[in-house]
Amino acid sequence: MRNKKKVYTLGPKGSFHHLACVEYLGGQQEIEFCESFAGVFEAVRAGHLGWIALYNSLAGIVENHEAEIEKNFTLLDEMDYEVKLCICSAPGTKLKDLTKLYSHEKAFGESKRFISEKLPKAELIKCSSTSHAAQKVAQEKEQNSAAICHAETAKFYGLDILANIPNKRKNETSFGLFAG
């Protein structure tokens, strides 16, 4: 892909959208972050490319924007990205000391068994994305809190991985690249 257009996706840095986009593009395009799907659609209407999640193998349709894409945009390509989650925290934190877990509600759902077995008393605090959760934990640096996110996201924010959360079933998200 040698297009000079920027690619807009959901952020912040380290989001599953970002990680999948980097893998798809191979670092060949400039990536800009939006806070919402509407922001991505607006950028595409302005002549840029958009990258969004379409479907998850466990959760189904990610957002109901299929009609918007079919009516107003052209889907150029799709890619499946494996969702792998982990528990990460500030350096020096121990899994047994955690009392607060930050993440997106879908990540909590996908981690339900792990949380009930390993961290049954932890308070679950919803964030708008797994990357926002990692960002929050990195900023606060509390020894009793952690985020559920991708291992690459933990690296972006200087967090230690305390545990990998096993997938009982294949967990993939289909992402689409689209233009106006």
Side-chain angles (χ1 to χ4, degrees):
M1 168 164 247
R2 300 197 187 280
N3 194 324
K4 295 290 184 199
K5 294 179 181 181
K6 291 180 184 176
V7 178
Y8 283 75
T9 193
L10 294 182
K13 184 178 178 179
S15 68
F16 278 99
H17 280 80
H18 176 227
L19 298 175
C21 190
V22 167
E23 182 175 304
Y24 177 81
L25 297 171
Q28 300 300 309
Q29 302 267 140
E30 187 176 343
I31 299 170
E32 295 287 337
F33 299 112
C34 298
E35 288 293 317
S36 67
F37 288 112
V40 175
F41 294 145
E42 186 178 315
V44 174
R45 282 188 196 95
H48 300 286
L49 298 172
W51 179 262
I52 59 170
L54 304 170
Y55 185 83
N56 178 270
S57 60
L58 298 181
I61 293 172
V62 174
E63 287 280 329
N64 195 5
H65 44 245
E66 205 171 286
E68 169 95 16
I69 292 171
E70 286 179 13
K71 181 180 174 189
N72 299 309
F73 306 112
T74 301
L75 186 62
L76 303 173
D77 203 4
E78 289 184 55
M79 181 190 91
D80 290 339
Y81 186 79
E82 187 175 5
V83 176
K84 297 178 185 176
L85 297 171
C86 69
I87 305 279
C88 64
S89 191
T93 303
K94 304 278 188 263
L95 189 66
K96 66 178 180 56
D97 296 332
L98 296 178
T99 59
K100 292 191 271 185
L101 276 178
Y102 294 89
S103 199
H104 187 271
E105 63 186 319
K106 291 197 189 249
F108 284 137
E110 293 166 17
S111 307
K112 191 183 327 183
R113 176 179 278 159
F114 182 90
I115 294 168
S116 67
E117 290 174 2
K118 306 285 186 191
L119 300 163
K121 295 182 181 176
E123 176 186 6
L124 306 183
I125 302 163
K126 291 180 186 175
C127 295
S128 59
S129 71
T130 57
S131 51
H132 278 110
Q135 201 174 43
K136 183 167 185 61
V137 169
Q139 289 169 347
E140 291 182 356
K141 296 180 177 93
E142 293 179 2
Q143 296 295 304
N144 68 332
S145 65
I148 296 175
C149 63
H150 192 284
E152 287 299 313
T153 307
K155 289 179 190 175
F156 278 124
Y157 294 104
L159 299 173
D160 285 350
I161 296 170
L162 304 180
N164 289 306
I165 300 171
N167 285 338
K168 297 297 180 199
R169 297 181 307 200
K170 190 169 190 161
N171 187 359
E172 290 184 330
T173 298
S174 294
F175 288 88
L177 179 71
F178 62 100

